[in-house]
Amino acid sequence: MKVLLLTGRLAEDDVRNAVNSARMPADVLVLDLDIAAFITPEHVKRAAPDGYDLIMLPGLITSDFSDVERELGTKIRLGPKNAADITHVLDHIEEIELSSRTPACALIAERLARNAEETLRRIEQRARPTVVVRGVGIGGGSRMKVLAEIVDAPRVGDGALEDKIRYYESQGADMIDLGLPLDATTDDVRRVVRIARRFTELPVSIDTLRPDLILAGVESGADMILSIDGSNMHAVADALLERDVPAVVIPGPGDLESNVTAALELGLTVIADPVLSPPLNGFADSIARYIDFRRAHPDTPLFLGVGNVTELIDADSQGVNAILAAIGAEVGASILFTPEYSPKARGSIKELRRAAEMMALARERRSPPKDLGEDLLILKEKRPRPEVVPPDHLDVMSARSSRMFVLDPAGSFRIGLCGDEIVAVHDRMVIKGRTAREILDTAIDLNLVSRLDHAAYLGRELEKAEIALRLGKSYTQDEELF
């Protein structure tokens, strides 16, 4: 295929560098204008390029080139929005059908995402799970499943418990765990299990060492029990066997090996938890325990409590969860267990679900977890965009801030976050929305802004609020976000 890329003078170097980095050869034609996004059908007509199978335009163009396409007898399609993505598009150009309406970068992203989704579906269909809990396969080649814990569930009000369950479901949890405090009663257990069963079809587990609470949970319909060890195993074994409820077996009293052996001898369905230790408190040694146990018991599903790390390290959770999921994949973990207990760990369920899918895709491709169609890149990027180089013929002025403040006669705004929306409170009304642009556009349409400096200020603050909303951070008007 012979491909021609059209561009303007300012982007020429970036476009040529991207083309030179691609495996697929292509030519570059620089038209008589500075900004490539301003290319019109008339520019292409005057250039009249000939002998090409495909002419690729910048992805930001919205004009209709169908008449020029018919006149030249050559397909004219949109390339990516940014020159940095041209290499990636050219390398996949034989695999996709470019569009005259949708930028190529979006098409490739959609294609990779669809391929990833289909591959994950095949992985689950092909798997032979070691344990199946309410239709959710665990082990046996299936994707690692995310178990989301509701800490101290009996202390959460009924409505809040329902909200938490629905939130975890929306974030991609595969299973819901009801954590029980030491002072919980059997009535507490029955109540929270009953509520959970009413509002979710996902498997529901309870986490406690007390035999009376375990029995109450099993009787109420819990699908899995966490924290079975030498102190409670014999007291609850008959109930677990009668209802075929799997048990997560932990060390103490006695080591994990002896407890797992005892549980298997009783006929229990076992998921083993060697216990992941917090950073600088035996973290590396605990990973070694997982590796040793997996080698000794290759078919026993493993439970990885990643919350022991994410909750106990002051670092952004995305990267921590990604590397913990990679460790889980290497040691053969089947369940990734975490709460979202502290604000810094908010979003961990969604992050672990994405990370678990990435590891399944990478294992399928036999590659590192990159370029999969899914990623956990939120604050950083794979391909940097080109810098803006000021033209030499223009004067350069150093920016400075103005200390003057003039109240807008149209009124002022108080900006904040409420739930999953940005709220802008004006003297006369409240505007709610999820993006800075829609709120600012609405304020301008309603004549609630009359000064340029006020509009610029609102744009800055609303954009900060939107970034905070998307990152799960707090936002306070007039304070730095980072």
Side-chain angles (χ1 to χ4, degrees), residues 14 55 75 79 82 92 177 189 309 348 375:
D14 295 324
I55 296 173
K75 285 197 299 186
N82 296 284
H92 293 86
D177 178 66
V189 177
V309 177
S348 284
D375 61 60

mmCIF file of all heavy atoms in Angstrom, residues 14 55 75 79 82 92 177 189 309 348 375:
data_model
loop_
_atom_site.group_PDB
_atom_site.id
_atom_site.type_symbol
_atom_site.label_atom_id
_atom_site.label_comp_id
_atom_site.label_asym_id
_atom_site.label_seq_id
_atom_site.Cartn_x
_atom_site.Cartn_y
_atom_site.Cartn_z
ATOM 1 N N ASP A 14 7.712 16.816 13.179
ATOM 2 C CA ASP A 14 7.098 15.769 14.008
ATOM 3 C C ASP A 14 6.523 14.649 13.144
ATOM 4 O O ASP A 14 6.665 13.464 13.455
ATOM 5 C CB ASP A 14 5.989 16.364 14.885
ATOM 6 C CG ASP A 14 6.535 17.353 15.896
ATOM 7 O OD1 ASP A 14 7.644 17.115 16.410
ATOM 8 O OD2 ASP A 14 5.862 18.360 16.169
ATOM 9 N N ILE A 55 -4.565 8.636 1.061
ATOM 10 C CA ILE A 55 -4.095 9.931 1.538
ATOM 11 C C ILE A 55 -4.597 10.099 2.964
ATOM 12 O O ILE A 55 -5.795 9.990 3.227
ATOM 13 C CB ILE A 55 -4.616 11.080 0.657
ATOM 14 C CG1 ILE A 55 -4.049 10.952 -0.774
ATOM 15 C CG2 ILE A 55 -4.256 12.427 1.258
ATOM 16 C CD1 ILE A 55 -4.648 11.940 -1.747
ATOM 17 N N LYS A 75 -8.506 7.047 -1.930
ATOM 18 C CA LYS A 75 -9.134 7.105 -0.607
ATOM 19 C C LYS A 75 -8.485 8.209 0.229
ATOM 20 O O LYS A 75 -7.253 8.291 0.295
ATOM 21 C CB LYS A 75 -8.991 5.769 0.131
ATOM 22 C CG LYS A 75 -9.912 4.688 -0.380
ATOM 23 C CD LYS A 75 -10.044 3.532 0.601
ATOM 24 C CE LYS A 75 -8.722 2.851 0.859
ATOM 25 N NZ LYS A 75 -8.899 1.646 1.713
ATOM 26 N N GLY A 79 -6.087 10.419 9.747
ATOM 27 C CA GLY A 79 -5.046 9.795 10.549
ATOM 28 C C GLY A 79 -5.295 10.088 12.022
ATOM 29 O O GLY A 79 -6.408 10.444 12.417
ATOM 30 N N ASN A 82 -2.767 13.305 16.890
ATOM 31 C CA ASN A 82 -1.432 13.770 17.264
ATOM 32 C C ASN A 82 -0.366 13.067 16.437
ATOM 33 O O ASN A 82 -0.442 11.854 16.199
ATOM 34 C CB ASN A 82 -1.180 13.512 18.751
ATOM 35 C CG ASN A 82 -2.126 14.318 19.618
ATOM 36 O OD1 ASN A 82 -1.948 15.516 19.787
ATOM 37 N ND2 ASN A 82 -3.138 13.657 20.162
ATOM 38 N N HIS A 92 -0.151 -0.503 12.046
ATOM 39 C CA HIS A 92 -1.360 -1.342 12.067
ATOM 40 C C HIS A 92 -2.293 -1.039 10.890
ATOM 41 O O HIS A 92 -3.430 -1.499 10.871
ATOM 42 C CB HIS A 92 -2.132 -1.137 13.372
ATOM 43 C CG HIS A 92 -1.418 -1.644 14.579
ATOM 44 N ND1 HIS A 92 -0.487 -0.896 15.271
ATOM 45 C CD2 HIS A 92 -1.477 -2.844 15.217
ATOM 46 C CE1 HIS A 92 -0.022 -1.592 16.282
ATOM 47 N NE2 HIS A 92 -0.593 -2.775 16.277
ATOM 48 N N ASP A 177 -17.167 -9.402 49.933
ATOM 49 C CA ASP A 177 -16.886 -9.959 51.259
ATOM 50 C C ASP A 177 -17.449 -9.038 52.337
ATOM 51 O O ASP A 177 -17.309 -7.822 52.271
ATOM 52 C CB ASP A 177 -15.380 -10.112 51.476
ATOM 53 C CG ASP A 177 -15.075 -10.654 52.872
ATOM 54 O OD1 ASP A 177 -15.447 -11.811 53.135
ATOM 55 O OD2 ASP A 177 -14.500 -9.911 53.678
ATOM 56 N N VAL A 189 -24.797 -11.079 61.585
ATOM 57 C CA VAL A 189 -24.354 -11.838 60.412
ATOM 58 C C VAL A 189 -25.539 -12.170 59.518
ATOM 59 O O VAL A 189 -25.498 -11.983 58.294
ATOM 60 C CB VAL A 189 -23.622 -13.119 60.838
ATOM 61 C CG1 VAL A 189 -23.237 -13.945 59.614
ATOM 62 C CG2 VAL A 189 -22.383 -12.783 61.656
ATOM 63 N N VAL A 309 -1.081 -4.346 51.538
ATOM 64 C CA VAL A 309 -0.028 -3.486 51.006
ATOM 65 C C VAL A 309 -0.590 -2.112 50.642
ATOM 66 O O VAL A 309 -0.080 -1.079 51.080
ATOM 67 C CB VAL A 309 0.651 -4.120 49.782
ATOM 68 C CG1 VAL A 309 1.691 -3.179 49.192
ATOM 69 C CG2 VAL A 309 1.302 -5.438 50.179
ATOM 70 N N SER A 348 -9.453 1.143 44.168
ATOM 71 C CA SER A 348 -8.641 -0.076 44.091
ATOM 72 C C SER A 348 -9.377 -1.236 43.437
ATOM 73 O O SER A 348 -8.765 -2.060 42.754
ATOM 74 C CB SER A 348 -8.177 -0.492 45.489
ATOM 75 O OG SER A 348 -7.123 0.328 45.942
ATOM 76 N N ASP A 375 -5.059 -0.647 29.964
ATOM 77 C CA ASP A 375 -3.912 -0.182 30.739
ATOM 78 C C ASP A 375 -4.400 0.526 31.996
ATOM 79 O O ASP A 375 -5.595 0.740 32.180
ATOM 80 C CB ASP A 375 -3.022 0.760 29.911
ATOM 81 C CG ASP A 375 -3.749 2.012 29.450
ATOM 82 O OD1 ASP A 375 -4.227 2.774 30.316
ATOM 83 O OD2 ASP A 375 -3.839 2.245 28.224
#
